[in-house]
Each structure stands twice: as structure tokens, then as C-alpha cells.
Amino acid sequence: MEKALSSTENVRSRVTTVSQRQQSESNKQQKFIFRGIDMENLIDVLSLQTRVQENKSKRSNFTNYREIDKIGIVPRFLFESAIKLELTSLTSASAAIIYHRFFKEASPSHYDKFLIATSSLYIATKIKDDPVNIRDVVNVTHNLLNRNAAPLDLGEEYWSRRDAIVQAELLITRMLKFNLCFEQPHKFLLCYLRTLQDWVGSSVWNSAPIAKVAMSFLQDFHHSPKILDYKVTHVAIGCLSLALQTYGIQVPLTNESSESSMWYTSFVPEMNKKKQWQIIEDIIEVYNNELEIDKCQFSKNIS
């Protein structure tokens, strides 16, 4: 996630110029109000990213997962585990979907959320044919929850944790009624990106890392269970729209004041502006949750 947030630093001066020009024109345009939130403030992703970058200097080298009870802490654990296990982005995203689907059916207070996240990750490696040794899963997740702990020997504690992961795997598959096949928005986003690249022209497209940032927004959106509330095509459009808004890129031959002239209607006719802003708001909420986790970790470090 930090890589996605830091990608705008290289083009900050360009984005600032675009933002200033858009702000001078904003007095002539109608401001969109959604749920009482000013849309101009809602899409101020650069300001949010700046605060995240500032928090990097305050953040410790690790997160004490067991000591922090904040929204998004378990998905952060899941994705950090995936990174340490060198799994693909599709595998980690699939694990997050499995995790969110499980707790859509079950109460979080009835289960060990970190164990369910670990088992979801192990299931995803099988679904996506991204093999990993279960011993590595046990040791990596154990180390994340018990910092500076040595790898477990093949003793009672290791076998206890291994059996717990396997039993949780069976529980998850039964809870989801063995329905572990689901579409993901990645392929749709890739298709939209390729089409838009020709649409906006190579000079504009190469001026900002739209593809990289849109994919990062998509991956980060998997930290939130709200990703289950939308169709995969709508999620892909929302992530791409936020990337375009972040860099102030206007798609040619489109008119944002007209619903029928929006660029995304060519890809998803049933998509509308209200749904677009809902998804954007939910994506930004993920980063706000990350800031809250960092603040909590920082306060614990200085106390």
C-alpha cells in the first residue's frame, strides 16, 4: 500500500499545477454534494497521501497486531503475510475476499479473526495455484503476531497451529457452501485501462502513472468489506475514475455534467455517477482507517 501511496510523489509538481487550474475553474462549475460531503474535498487524495507519507517517519518498523483494535487491522495483517510469503496480488486479493465473505456470514466475536485470515490466505494459494508450504504460513503468521519470535520447531505448538489452520480452512469452505469461485475486478480494470490508453492518447497517458495507481487503489480496496457491496465491473470503474481524478485527467469527448456522456458508460452502461462516488468514498475510507491504525501504533510506541 505504501508503494501505491508514494507513487504520486514523482509527479507532485505536475499534479499541483493541474489542481490549481481546476480550482480556479471550480467557481464556474456546479459542486457535487453527496451525503453532505463536498466532492472537492472527497477527491483530495493528494492531501490524504501526504499525511500518510508524514506518518511514515512516525511509524515503527512493525505493527503490533494483537494490541491494536481498529478497523482494517486484520486485512493489513493478511496483506503483510502475503507480501512476506511472496504471493501474487491476485492471491492476496482472493484471500481478502474469502475473509470478508466469511465474516459476512459469521460474527467476528465468535472466531479468531487472525486465524480466519491465515486460513483464507492458505485457501487462496490453492485457488490461484500459487503454492506455498504450510510450514511457511505457520511461521510467517506466528512471527507477525509475536514479533521477534524464532521460527517454531516441529513441536507441540507448531502442530497445534498447523491443525488450527487446517480446521479453520474446513470451517470457511463449509460456511461459504464450498463456493470458492468468484470473479475479480482485475481483468476488467486491465481491459478498461488498455482502451483508455488509446482514448486519451499516449502523451497524456504517459504523463502520469494511471495504470499503476488504479491497480493500487483496487488492491487497497480489498482491505474493506465494502468491496463485496458492488459488482466487479463497478469496482474497476471506481478505481480507474479515482486515478483519473487524482491526476486531473479529462477523458476526451466526454462531458461530466451529463450522465449519458460519462466515459465509463461505454464500458458499463448501467454505471452512474452516484455509484461512482460511493465507491470512491469507500476507497478513501480505507486510507483513513490506515491513518488511524498508524496513529494508534505511534501513541503506543511513545507511551
Side-chain angles (χ1 to χ4, degrees):
M1 179 178 294
E2 293 178 5
K3 293 181 180 178
L5 295 177
S6 62
S7 62
T8 59
E9 294 295 326
N10 296 330
V11 292
R12 179 169 297 280
S13 59
R14 181 182 181 87
V15 176
T16 302
T17 303
V18 174
S19 299
Q20 290 175 347
R21 185 169 64 251
Q22 289 182 334
Q23 185 176 3
S24 64
E25 296 174 354
S26 62
N27 294 331
K28 303 177 183 179
Q29 299 175 349
Q30 181 181 7
K31 296 182 179 179
F32 297 102
I33 305 298
F34 177 70
R35 294 182 183 176
I37 300 176
D38 188 343
M39 288 295 101
E40 289 185 343
N41 294 329
L42 180 61
I43 63 175
D44 190 11
V45 182
L46 293 178
S47 176
L48 182 62
Q49 292 174 342
T50 300
R51 284 185 285 142
V52 172
Q53 291 298 322
E54 291 174 350
N55 275 6
K56 285 183 181 180
S57 59
K58 303 177 183 179
R59 184 184 300 177
S60 64
N61 294 329
F62 55 82
T63 303
N64 293 317
Y65 289 105
R66 291 292 191 185
E67 298 180 5
I68 298 177
D69 185 18
K70 291 288 185 180
I71 297 175
I73 189 65
V74 180
R76 178 188 278 201
F77 162 80
L78 187 153
F79 278 93
E80 184 175 352
S81 299
I83 292 173
K84 290 184 179 296
L85 290 168
E86 299 181 347
L87 302 178
T88 66
S89 58
L90 275 177
T91 300
S92 57
S94 298
I97 293 296
I98 294 171
Y99 172 82
H100 294 315
R101 286 180 61 197
F102 177 85
F103 282 114
K104 191 175 183 179
E105 303 293 335
S107 173
S109 61
H110 294 166
Y111 301 94
D112 184 338
K113 291 180 286 187
F114 293 102
L115 175 60
I116 297 299
T118 301
S119 294
S120 298
L121 195 59
Y122 189 51
I123 293 173
T125 62
K126 298 178 180 180
I127 296 175
K128 293 301 178 182
D129 195 20
D130 192 8
V132 63
N133 193 312
I134 191 171
R135 185 175 183 182
D136 293 334
V137 176
V138 171
N139 280 315
V140 165
T141 55
H142 171 71
N143 180 265
L144 288 178
L145 296 176
N146 304 275
R147 297 293 183 172
N148 301 321
L152 294 173
D153 295 326
L154 295 179
E156 182 178 352
E157 184 177 2
Y158 167 80
W159 289 109
S160 176
R161 290 181 178 275
R162 186 185 187 279
D163 290 343
I165 292 173
V166 173
Q167 291 300 319
E169 179 184 2
L170 297 175
L171 172 65
I172 292 170
T173 53
R174 289 197 299 268
M175 186 70 75
L176 300 183
K177 300 178 181 179
F178 298 92
N179 180 18
L180 299 176
C181 297
F182 46 84
E183 278 192 316
Q184 291 180 281
H186 297 73
K187 63 180 181 181
F188 296 99
L189 179 55
L190 180 60
C191 177
Y192 303 156
L193 285 169
R194 288 179 173 175
T195 303
L196 272 185
Q197 183 176 3
D198 296 330
W199 194 343
V200 302
S202 58
S203 59
V204 176
W205 187 262
N206 295 331
S207 66
I210 298 299
K212 181 178 180 180
V213 173
M215 280 294 183
S216 297
F217 285 147
L218 174 58
Q219 195 71 2
D220 293 341
F221 194 20
H222 284 79
H223 285 243
S224 171
K226 292 183 179 180
I227 194 172
L228 301 179
D229 298 338
Y230 307 103
K231 295 180 179 179
V232 290
T233 52
H234 294 177
V235 170
I237 290 295
C239 294
L240 181 51
S241 177
L242 180 56
L244 293 173
Q245 294 282 355
T246 300
Y247 289 96
I249 293 179
Q250 174 72 35
V251 179
L253 306 178
T254 61
N255 182 6
E256 294 191 1
S257 62
S258 174
E259 186 74 59
S260 60
S261 299
M262 295 296 290
W263 60 269
Y264 49 72
T265 56
S266 300
F267 304 119
V268 187
E270 74 274 12
M271 186 67 173
N272 56 63
K273 192 173 296 184
K274 181 179 180 181
K275 185 73 66 177
Q276 173 196 8
W277 287 117
Q278 285 177 334
I279 295 173
I280 289 177
E281 181 184 1
D282 290 339
I283 294 173
I284 294 177
E285 185 182 7
V286 171
Y287 297 111
N288 288 329
N289 292 337
E290 285 291 304
L291 287 172
E292 290 300 317
I293 293 174
D294 290 339
K295 290 177 183 178
C296 183
Q297 181 64 56
F298 178 66
S299 63
K300 287 182 178 294
N301 290 341
I302 63 177
S303 61

